[in-house]
Amino acid sequence: MATVVAPPQSAASNGGSGPSSRTESYVDTKRKDDVRIANITAARSVADAVRTSLGPRGMDKMIASPNGDVVITNDGATILNRMEVLQPAAKMLVDLSKSQDSAAGDGTTTVVVLAGALLKYCLPLLSSGVHPTLISDSLHKLSVKAVEVLTSMAKPIELSDRDSLVKSASTSLNSKVVSQYSSLLAPIAVEAVLSVLDSEKPEMVDLKDVRIVKKLGGTVDDTELVKGLVFDKKVSHASGGLTRIENAKIAVIQFQISPPKTDIEQSVVVSDYAQMDRILKEERNYILGMIKKIKSAGCNVLLIQKSILRDAVTDLSLHYLAKAKILVVKDVERDDIEFITKTLNCLPIANIEHFKAEKMGFADCVEEVSVGEGKIVKITGIKDMGRTATVLVRGSNQLMIDEAERSLHDALCVVRCLVCKRFLIAGGGAPEIEMSMRLGAWAKTLPGMEGYCVRQFAEALEVVPYTLAENAGLNPISIVTELRNRHAQGEVDTGINVRKGQITNILEENVVQPLLVSTSAVTLAAECVRMILKIDDIITVR
């Protein structure tokens, strides 16, 4: 509906007697309200789509793409990332889950469910005539106070307390498709993060230093943490190439062991056999010269980067390398070079003239191993190994391997959160109920409409325990009521035990999560809702 402004009457229209008379102008705000309601409705529909997948008893989603790929997961970030969302405000909830994934790694479903609940409670406030700016300011104050409440509930931990780290990683895995393997994957995640931790910068953990290699065959039980390097490919078997080397001297090369080509596109016409023999002889001498330099440096394992200009190796060069007793792993991806050199504590070699012994890495053993339906190359016993870790993920089918990788990533992020902010908090809906009660009490001290808004949003936080109970097949109203009573009696760490179907001390059940996951979820959800509230029009640019 368009904005209507009544124009002032002119003197002529007023019979020409005296100045123009002023008329009241009317501005229609219905369109602004309609846009806000449409945005809130679209965003809530996205939150409702993932709400059933919250918690250890949550449902899984099957996502089928147009090209026939199928993904089965209950990871909020993955579901939303693969959904085809068109409405701009709904896309903000997809970006919200991505923000939570990069900030904390876990809680991607929780943050969207929280945002959906806060938006739901915005509707009655808007229809009552409360200004969006006032609602937005109240929400900001609520998020700041909520972080204070969460911090007061948190328990400090030390990195030496390995059991607490494993419990926290297990909690994040309990809601995944591969939850039955949490006793195996959680210690692997903890060990991997602690092995890449730098003692000089203990708060900084770069998960790029943890490489996950997926290999089809076997079960998730066969997943292992490898102290070294793993390549998801075979060694070169041309001309009887070696498959195992002990006391390996490893070089990572970025040049081609093949005859050079001209810089421009052109054809060379060979008119007789003598010239052909001469060309082949020159090529052999060129390749032999390179291999002699490599062998004289003491190298016995070559990792060759994939080339985009010409073949990195030819059959002839592989034949001579096999004769020189040099094991070859070819087609190493360009993106993996940095990780490999950091692990081996060596330097990549870009030219044969720079091939020196001091640029190589050293390991006890390099061997080709049969795994499942294929083969991998393992490098173990690396001397002066860098701060990296490799996890070899196994599975009986591609769906299971992909879900195991996503779950392991979440567990790694949870341990990283604990390294960055060393506080644990109870799970099972305990922090949300505690926040709801304490913020509701705090709202009574605030004046006017602000206190009313905060009280409404405090109620919205109950959506997490309510959804946990609902997804576990329990009676959500009686469960949440009992949970409120227990918290009112001062039992801060009580939460919903979905396995037993009752309220228990959730810390004793080892259901814990990092403080950073909860604080990040509340803060990001509040920010997203504030942004949606302040939108009063959608302008489409073509």
Side-chain angles (χ1 to χ4, degrees):
M1 195 169 178
T3 302
V4 180
V5 181
Q9 290 181 342
S10 63
S13 66
N14 204 16
S17 59
S20 62
S21 61
R22 301 176 71 185
T23 60
E24 290 184 6
S25 61
Y26 167 66
V27 179
D28 187 6
T29 58
K30 190 173 189 310
R31 173 169 170 74
K32 293 179 180 180
D33 292 339
D34 287 346
V35 168
R36 281 197 189 94
I37 291 167
N39 284 344
I40 289 172
T41 306
R44 279 184 60 199
S45 64
V46 171
D48 290 339
V50 296
R51 189 181 160 197
T52 53
S53 64
L54 182 69
R57 295 288 168 90
M59 299 292 109
D60 300 332
K61 307 290 181 190
M62 179 182 280
I63 305 161
S65 58
N67 61 1
D69 288 342
V70 174
V71 175
I72 298 172
T73 183
N74 61 1
D75 180 54
T78 306
I79 295 167
L80 291 169
N81 201 28
R82 289 176 177 266
M83 278 171 65
E84 198 169 328
V85 181
L86 300 176
Q87 214 274 353
K91 283 182 180 177
M92 290 173 70
L93 259 69
V94 177
D95 293 335
L96 173 65
S97 74
K98 287 180 183 176
S99 301
Q100 176 72 5
D101 198 29
S102 58
D106 196 21
T108 49
T109 309
T110 306
V111 72
V112 175
V113 170
L114 269 177
L118 292 170
L119 286 168
K120 177 185 174 183
Y121 277 79
C122 286
L123 283 175
L125 291 172
L126 288 168
S127 61
S128 301
V130 185
H131 197 277
T133 305
L134 180 60
I135 301 173
S136 174
D137 291 344
S138 303
L139 196 50
H140 174 65
K141 287 186 177 179
L142 175 120
S143 67
V144 173
K145 187 70 176 176
V147 171
E148 290 177 18
V149 173
L150 287 170
T151 307
S152 67
M153 289 176 65
K155 312 274 188 300
I157 64 157
E158 295 296 328
L159 292 184
S160 55
D161 184 5
R162 196 170 175 277
D163 286 344
S164 294
L165 298 177
V166 171
K167 287 173 190 173
S168 191
S170 295
T171 303
S172 78
L173 290 166
N174 282 340
S175 61
K176 306 296 180 189
V177 175
V178 293
S179 57
Q180 66 267 37
Y181 302 107
S182 59
S183 58
L184 168 73
L185 297 178
I188 286 176
V190 172
E191 196 64 39
V193 172
L194 293 181
S195 62
V196 303
L197 194 63
D198 189 352
S199 55
E200 295 178 4
K201 299 175 183 175
E203 287 80 25
M204 296 292 289
V205 176
D206 188 357
L207 290 184
K208 289 179 183 175
D209 292 337
V210 180
R211 187 158 166 254
I212 298 176
V213 178
K214 298 184 288 184
K215 192 67 180 174
L216 196 63
T219 64
V220 180
D221 278 325
D222 300 321
T223 300
E224 60 177 320
L225 179 69
V226 179
K227 294 281 186 181
L229 273 175
V230 173
F231 295 96
D232 183 17
K233 48 174 62 75
K234 300 185 289 187
V235 300
S236 173
H237 291 160
S239 305
L242 299 174
T243 58
R244 179 184 169 90
I245 291 278
E246 292 186 356
N247 296 322
K249 296 175 182 176
I250 307 162
V252 180
I253 65 170
Q254 295 178 305
F255 57 86
Q256 296 86 13
I257 309 178
S258 58
K261 290 187 178 179
T262 54
D263 291 336
I264 56 174
E265 287 290 333
Q266 63 179 25
S267 301
V268 177
V269 180
V270 180
S271 57
D272 59 28
Y273 288 110
Q275 288 179 331
M276 190 182 293
D277 287 342
R278 195 171 151 203
I279 290 170
L280 292 172
K281 187 178 178 183
E282 285 296 323
E283 284 183 358
R284 279 200 301 272
N285 290 338
Y286 178 80
I287 290 170
L288 271 171
M290 293 178 82
I291 292 171
K292 282 177 181 175
K293 285 183 180 178
I294 291 169
K295 189 66 179 174
S296 63
C299 173
N300 55 13
V301 176
L302 266 187
L303 307 179
I304 305 174
Q305 180 180 304
K306 183 185 279 187
S307 174
I308 56 173
L309 298 173
R310 65 177 198 263
D311 293 335
V313 285
T314 60
D315 290 340
L316 184 62
S317 58
L318 287 173
H319 170 75
Y320 286 138
L321 286 165
K323 294 289 183 188
K325 304 293 183 189
I326 296 174
L327 185 145
V328 177
V329 179
K330 59 181 181 178
D331 293 339
V332 175
E333 294 293 338
R334 186 181 297 268
D335 296 339
D336 295 338
I337 294 294
E338 185 181 350
F339 181 85
I340 292 165
T341 52
K342 185 174 182 179
T343 305
L344 293 172
N345 204 9
C346 66
L347 292 171
I349 303 168
N351 193 298
I352 188 65
E353 301 302 327
H354 303 148
F355 205 105
K356 295 182 174 60
E358 56 265 24
K359 291 191 175 183
M360 294 192 287
F362 302 92
D364 291 340
C365 182
V366 178
E367 61 180 334
E368 183 182 81
V369 183
S370 294
V371 171
E373 299 170 2
K375 294 184 177 180
I376 60 169
V377 179
K378 264 188 183 182
I379 301 178
T380 52
I382 298 170
K383 294 179 175 64
D384 298 324
M385 182 175 163
R387 293 183 181 278
T388 62
T390 303
V391 181
L392 179 61
V393 176
R394 304 280 302 284
S396 54
N397 58 62
Q398 199 59 46
L399 287 173
M400 189 59 78
I401 289 179
D402 291 342
E403 184 60 19
E405 183 199 16
R406 283 190 289 270
S407 304
L408 192 58
H409 171 73
D410 281 3
L412 289 167
C413 289
V414 163
V415 182
R416 183 191 66 183
C417 286
L418 286 172
V419 171
C420 298
K421 200 169 187 178
R422 297 175 189 180
F423 288 92
L424 272 178
I425 199 167
E432 287 80 14
I433 279 287
E434 187 67 19
M435 278 193 292
S436 176
M437 292 185 64
R438 285 168 65 172
L439 290 170
W442 176 64
K444 293 175 183 176
T445 65
L446 296 174
M449 192 54 71
E450 197 175 67
Y452 180 68
C453 291
V454 170
R455 189 158 62 250
Q456 290 289 94
F457 290 135
E459 283 183 33
L461 295 173
E462 289 185 5
V463 69
V464 172
Y466 190 94
T467 306
L468 283 174
E470 201 173 47
N471 290 349
L474 308 173
N475 184 338
I477 295 173
S478 62
I479 286 285
V480 173
T481 305
E482 187 187 346
L483 192 57
R484 285 183 71 90
N485 289 337
R486 296 281 288 272
H487 275 258
Q489 294 165 16
E491 298 179 31
V492 180
D493 297 325
T494 50
I496 302 169
N497 187 333
V498 295
R499 291 195 188 91
K500 295 180 180 176
Q502 60 190 37
I503 306 295
T504 59
N505 186 322
I506 215 74
L507 280 184
E508 292 174 2
E509 302 289 337
N510 299 330
V511 180
V512 289
Q513 63 189 36
L515 173 63
L516 188 59
V517 170
S518 294
T519 54
S520 174
V522 172
T523 307
L524 290 173
E527 280 180 12
C528 181
V529 173
R530 290 179 69 205
M531 287 169 69
I532 292 173
L533 272 175
K534 288 194 172 183
I535 298 168
D536 69 351
D537 204 351
I538 298 175
I539 300 167
T540 307
V541 181
R542 297 191 186 279

